[in-house]
Amino acid sequence: MKIGPKFKIARRLGAPIFEKTQTAKFKAGAEKKSKNMGRPRPRSDFGQQLIEKQKARFSYGVSEKQFGNYVNKILSKNTKVPPQERLFVLLEQRLDNVVYRIGLTKTRSAARQMVSHGHISVNGQRVTIPSYQVRVGELISIREGSKDKKIFAELEEKMAGETLPAWLSFNIKENKGEIKGVPQLQGQSLLFDLGAVLEFYKR
């Protein structure tokens, strides 16, 4: 998905939604611009919901159409699980996000490219679809033919100190991980409001 100038988008949305904008330099620039612009005009409910939707969409690198499909799928079904939590799970269980969460790459965009180029296998089968939804019990690994690629050089050093979410595991010696559970929204500190996102699509 072509995104555009990330610093400009992040400043417009008022949040460091891209990995490259999660720096002191970006924060200082955003604060300086805010001071120069003076007091911002209050947004309408619709405007704020749109901003929250864009934050979530760009954070995960999902196209407008695909993001809308996720939300429509959730809103079309009534379950005991809150819709915010179901949306969070759908986004987190994308294969590109799993590759990123494991620590094989430093950004989600690099993770998408890694999956698209066929470097990742699920249960021993190469998967080239970044939006593939992983399931509990599935094994995620670096494809055998890709292990010697430059992008995986010194992987053990690169992953040193990585803290994985409780629902994921990865054995660096075997280059293999497992989906051990379902992502939990509770306790997460997000850059966007999923409740506002859902309200945007209910209009």
Side-chain angles (χ1 to χ4, degrees):
M1 184 188 78
K2 189 174 181 180
I3 292 177
K6 294 183 178 180
F7 278 92
K8 186 176 180 180
I9 293 171
R11 281 197 299 267
R12 186 176 74 240
L13 298 178
I17 54 175
F18 305 111
E19 290 82 4
K20 68 182 295 183
T21 62
Q22 294 168 4
T23 62
K25 181 180 178 181
F26 171 80
K27 184 178 180 181
E31 289 177 349
K32 182 179 180 181
K33 184 174 182 180
S34 178
K35 289 179 181 178
N36 292 338
M37 291 179 65
R39 189 174 181 179
R41 290 184 299 176
R43 293 193 181 100
S44 65
D45 288 345
F46 174 80
Q48 188 58 47
Q49 290 163 4
L50 173 61
I51 290 292
E52 297 304 314
K53 185 263 291 185
Q54 294 293 69
K55 286 181 188 178
R57 189 171 74 80
F58 282 124
S59 290
Y60 285 92
V62 180
S63 70
E64 187 75 53
K65 181 179 180 181
Q66 193 166 47
F67 196 86
N69 288 340
Y70 285 154
V71 176
N72 290 332
K73 178 180 179 180
I74 289 167
L75 295 179
S76 65
K77 296 181 180 179
N78 291 319
T79 69
K80 293 182 179 179
V81 180
Q84 293 98 315
E85 187 166 338
R86 283 184 282 148
L87 178 55
F88 177 73
V89 170
L90 280 177
L91 293 170
E92 284 289 309
Q93 287 184 327
R94 287 173 54 96
L95 181 58
D96 55 359
N97 181 71
V98 169
V99 169
Y100 165 69
R101 291 294 190 199
I102 286 174
L104 295 179
T105 68
K106 296 300 182 183
T107 67
R108 285 190 178 93
S109 59
R112 280 192 296 279
Q113 189 175 51
M114 187 178 286
V115 174
S116 297
H117 288 182
H119 297 311
I120 302 299
S121 295
V122 179
N123 293 334
Q125 299 295 316
R126 185 173 71 165
V127 177
T128 59
I129 303 172
S131 61
Y132 174 87
Q133 288 284 307
V134 301
R135 294 182 291 274
V136 177
E138 288 189 320
L139 300 178
I140 310 299
S141 60
I142 299 172
R143 190 175 67 89
E144 193 62 37
S146 299
K147 290 180 179 179
D148 295 328
K149 297 289 185 181
K150 186 177 180 179
I151 56 174
F152 298 116
E154 301 178 345
L155 188 59
E156 188 168 354
E157 290 79 4
K158 292 177 182 177
M159 293 184 66
E162 288 284 345
T163 302
L164 273 63
W167 58 282
L168 294 173
S169 69
F170 191 80
N171 186 319
I172 187 62
K173 301 295 185 183
E174 298 179 359
N175 289 324
K176 184 180 295 183
E178 182 180 359
I179 310 301
K180 300 177 68 66
V182 177
Q184 300 295 315
L185 176 58
Q186 186 175 2
Q188 296 294 326
S189 178
L190 304 179
L191 293 172
F192 43 83
D193 182 348
L194 288 176
V197 172
L198 293 170
E199 288 302 319
F200 174 85
Y201 284 94
K202 288 179 181 178
R203 289 178 174 271

